[in-house]
Structure formats: structure tokens, C-alpha cells
């Protein structure tokens, strides 16, 4: 799958990879405990707006099973 | 369409145009019109040009720019009007299969997944790869941002979906079961981000609880691989497309 050609360009390639890795290593990271609590908070805040999670009240559901209607 | 396989399509934010592309290596934009007599093919504008197939395309916040990913290993940002290449993104070592734009209005980042098992997060203005994640064991078929924009999920041929947090810069959850051995072709979140829907090559859709990491339910109905899945913008339903020639809407 990789199409890197081995030759003098591999040194330039390696240099670019090292620069990219250095850039990536420098970024500020937050702790996973904070990140996951933020995700949980977001879910909690938006859960009531999520129809797939909370379900739609039967009165508004256009696809609900219709009961046969009897006319006396 | 001039070529046999269309692999990507996207609606413009205004709803007035559609972009699509595939094995023709190009992304073409068609303006939409309700007039039946109009010859839409004549109004087609060829916007992107890659050296290999187009795997995904998406309009940015406006109708004027389009982001594409290709089998040639690059992603590119194009101006729709002039067809000019605005920015190209190099970094994947193999075909790029999917991309997703960050949800916020001011967002300038997007995430792409490829056959090199890596997911890269890019800055659209500079063309730089900001973050990279390599924990999947096979091709990544689909990536989707979490609704808050702070995380994203990916689905891969290794039969797992994984959640990565951007601020913590690491994988935070894996959604897999020993009984699931077929690859995931497409993933999407419900509106609140609590549910993750994955379309699998074993014809099923698995619904995962994002926070608990457990499977909530499994949906049957398709008679062949589920190739694509999207939750509707109002969150009341999701639609799946499959190799069985049908599109099904689940609510």
C-alpha cells in the first residue's frame, strides 16, 4: 500500500516525518478524565433533544400503528 | 454521469447543487433545478481533478468550496467557481477513503481516514496535519465528528469502531465484540452523541452506547452489505444504503 521509493529522497522523507512527529508531540493535551467527563456532560445536556434516544411521543409519530376506527 | 462508478456525493449547504464523483477522478458540481426541461448535464461544472478515484467529497460551510479525498492519497480543497486548487493535504501513505468536516461554523479542521490505517486531522488553512491516530488494524472506511466537535469516531475493516478525543489526543473507546467479524463501512452519531450507529458488511447495523461502550441493539433488514449510513439533520431517523439496491429509513 505504501508507495515510498527508497533512494536519496528517503532522507528528505525521513526528515519530513521527524518534523511532523515533533509538531504532533508539541500539542497541548488534556487529561482523558477531563475529556471523557466533557463528553458525558455534552451527552447529558443534549439527551433530551435526541429523538432516537428519548423516543417521540405517540401523538406526534406519523408512523404509529393506526387503530381501526369504528363508526357506530 | 460519464463514468460507471459514482463513489461520493454531497449536497451543497444551500440545497441548490450537488457534487459527485468516483472512478472518473473528478468531482463535478451540478446545479439543481425543479424545471424538468432543463438539461442538467449541460450545466455540469468539473471542479476537482485527482490522479486516482474520488472517494469522498463535502462542501465546506459555503457553496463555494469543496473538499475532496482521493485514492491518490491526498485530500484537496477547491474553489467551485474557478475550479482552482486552494489547498492540498499530503500525509496519507495510501488511498484516503473518507473525510468529515468539523461541525462548528468557525471550524477550520477536518478529519480523513485511509487505507494506511491512519486517521489524520488537518488544518484547512495551512494544509498541515495537526494530529494523527494509528490504532486501527485495517483500512478506515468512515470517519464522523462527534456533535460537539471535540471527538470523532471511525469505522474500519478490522470490525471495530473507535472513538478518539481530539483534546486528549488519543483513542478513548473501542466498540467491538468477538462475534462481529465483518468490517464497518459507515458510522454516524445520533443528535446528542450518545448513540453511535455502524453499518456493517455482515448486512446489519449495530447501535452502540458511546459512553458505556456496549452495544444497545442490532438491526436487521438489509439483504446485502450496508455501505452507507447517515442520521437525519433533525435526528429523528437514520437512513442506510446497501448493496441490496435499497435505501432504508429507520426511526
Amino acid at each position: 500500500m505504501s508507495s515510498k521509493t527508497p533512494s536519496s529522497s528517503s532522507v528528505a522523507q525521513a526528515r519530513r516525518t521527524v518534523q511532523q512527529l515533533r509538531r504532533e508531540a508539541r500539542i497541548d493535551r488534556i487529561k482523558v478524565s477531563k475529556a471523557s467527563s466533557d463528553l458525558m456532560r455534552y451527552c447529558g445536556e443534549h439527551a433530551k433533544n435526541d429523538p432516537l434516544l428519548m423516543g417521540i411521543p405517540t401523538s406526534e409519530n406519523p408512523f404509529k400503528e393506526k387503530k381501526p376506527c369504528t363508526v357506530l | 454521469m460519464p463514468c460507471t462508478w459514482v463513489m461520493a456525493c454531497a449536497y451543497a449547504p444551500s440545497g441548490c447543487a450537488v457534487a459527485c464523483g468516483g472512478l472518473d477522478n473528478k468531482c463535478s458540481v451540478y446545479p439543481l433545478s425543479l424545471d424538468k426541461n432543463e438539461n442538467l448535464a449541460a450545466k455540469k461544472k468539473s471542479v476537482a481533478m485527482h490522479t486516482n478515484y474520488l472517494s469522498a467529497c463535502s462542501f465546506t460551510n459555503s457553496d463555494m468550496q469543496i473538499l475532496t479525498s482521493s485514492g491518490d492519497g491526498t485530500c484537496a480543497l477547491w474553489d467551485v467557481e474557478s475550479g482552482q486548487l486552494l489547498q492540498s493535504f499530503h500525509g496519507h501513505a495510501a488511498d484516503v477513503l473518507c473525510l468529515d468536516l468539523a461541525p462548528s461554523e468557525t471550524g477550520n479542521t477536518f478529519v480523513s481516514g485511509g487505507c494506511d490505517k491512519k486517521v489524520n486531522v488537518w488544518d484547512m488553512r495551512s494544509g498541515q496535519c495537526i494530529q494523527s491516530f494509528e490504532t486501527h488494524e485495517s483500512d478506515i472506511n468512515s470517519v464522523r465528528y462527534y456533535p460537539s466537535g471535540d471527538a470523532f469516531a471511525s469505522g474500519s475493516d478490522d470490525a471495530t469502531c473507535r472513538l478518539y478525543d481530539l483534546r486528549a489526543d488519543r483513542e478513548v473507546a473501542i466498540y467491538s465484540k468477538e462475534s462481529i467479524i465483518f468490517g464497518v463501512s459507515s458510522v454516524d452519531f445520533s443528535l446528542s452523541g450518545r448513540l453511535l450507529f455502524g453499518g456493517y458488511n455482515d448486512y446489519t447495523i449495530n447501535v452502540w452506547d458511546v459512553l458505556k461502550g456496549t452495544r444497545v441493539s442490532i438491526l436487521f433488514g438489509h439483504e446485502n452489505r450496508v455501505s452507507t449510513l447517515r442520521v437525519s439533520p433533525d435526528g429523528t431517523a437514520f437512513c442506510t444504503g446497501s448493496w441490496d439496491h435499497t435505501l432504508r429509513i429507520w426511526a
Side-chain angles (χ1 to χ4, degrees), chain A residues 3-56:
Chain A
S3 54
K4 297 193 183 83
T5 51
S7 67
S8 59
S9 69
S10 65
V11 173
Q13 184 80 33
R15 193 165 287 145
R16 258 178 279 140
T17 316
V18 170
Q19 281 175 343
Q20 176 65 28
L21 287 170
R22 282 212 182 109
R23 253 180 266 140
E24 285 178 23
R26 259 184 251 137
I27 65 178
D28 289 323
R29 285 175 200 87
I30 65 171
K31 285 197 188 299
V32 176
S33 48
K34 165 107 178 50
S36 40
S37 64
D38 283 348
L39 286 176
M40 281 165 54
R41 194 167 33 91
Y42 185 91
C43 277
E45 279 168 18
H46 291 83
K48 50 187 177 316
N49 300 332
D50 189 347
L52 286 170
L53 199 59
M54 311 266 43
I56 312 179

Side-chain angles (χ1 to χ4, degrees), chain B:
Chain B
M1 275 286 295
C3 73
T4 48
W5 275 42
V6 179
M7 299 173 78
C9 62
Y11 242 120
S14 65
C16 296
V18 169
C20 55
L23 286 185
D24 58 354
N25 299 359
K26 296 196 285 234
C27 184
S28 311
V29 177
Y30 293 83
L32 295 174
S33 126
L34 288 173
D35 181 356
K36 284 203 259 288
N37 295 329
E38 232 182 304
N39 183 5
L40 290 177
K43 293 237 178 112
K44 166 184 107 163
K45 197 182 299 188
S46 228
V47 172
M49 189 69 95
H50 278 280
T51 52
N52 207 328
Y53 65 89
L54 193 87
S55 52
C57 62
S58 176
F59 280 88
T60 59
N61 287 327
S62 78
D63 272 18
M64 290 293 101
Q65 292 186 348
I66 211 172
L67 191 58
T68 58
S69 66
S70 165
D72 62 12
T74 68
C75 299
L77 182 67
W78 309 83
D79 177 88
V80 175
E81 198 53 50
S82 62
Q84 203 190 13
L85 173 68
L86 297 170
Q87 186 65 262
S88 75
F89 306 90
H90 296 261
H92 277 287
D95 304 17
V96 186
L97 293 181
C98 49
L99 59 83
D100 191 31
L101 278 144
S104 91
E105 292 297 310
T106 54
N108 284 308
T109 61
F110 74 94
V111 63
S112 66
C115 291
D116 55 356
K117 311 178 204 169
K118 278 169 55 174
V119 185
N120 288 340
V121 182
W122 307 87
D123 178 331
M124 282 202 284
R125 286 166 300 185
S126 65
Q128 288 274 343
C129 172
I130 323 174
Q131 286 168 281
S132 178
F133 303 90
E134 188 169 356
T135 59
H136 270 294
E137 291 158 23
S138 187
D139 300 359
I140 295 165
N141 296 314
S142 175
V143 284
R144 183 74 61 213
Y145 265 96
Y146 189 80
S148 70
D150 289 329
F152 66 90
S154 60
S156 158
D157 276 345
D158 65 4
T160 66
C161 297
R162 291 171 201 242
L163 184 70
Y164 298 86
D165 189 293
L166 289 167
R167 293 175 309 155
D169 189 33
R170 51 172 292 172
E171 176 190 283
V172 291
I174 305 183
Y175 307 100
S176 67
K177 261 178 120 63
E178 280 201 18
S179 52
I180 303 179
I181 54 171
F182 283 81
V184 187
S185 60
S186 189
V187 293
D188 202 0
F189 284 101
S190 67
L191 262 194
S192 67
R194 183 65 193 265
L195 300 175
L196 177 68
F197 299 96
Y200 288 71
N201 293 339
D202 60 1
Y203 318 171
T204 66
I205 296 131
N206 285 295
V207 187
W208 301 89
D209 180 320
V210 171
L211 300 178
K212 294 191 191 153
T214 55
R215 181 172 65 186
V216 167
S217 101
I218 178 169
L219 302 170
F220 300 94
H222 277 295
E223 289 153 25
N224 208 322
R225 288 193 193 196
V226 180
S227 52
T228 182
L229 187 155
R230 251 334 168 107
V231 173
S232 71
D234 65 358
T236 54
F238 69 94
C239 183
T240 50
S242 160
W243 283 24
D244 65 3
H245 317 295
T246 65
L247 282 166
R248 284 171 208 247
I249 303 189
W250 310 75

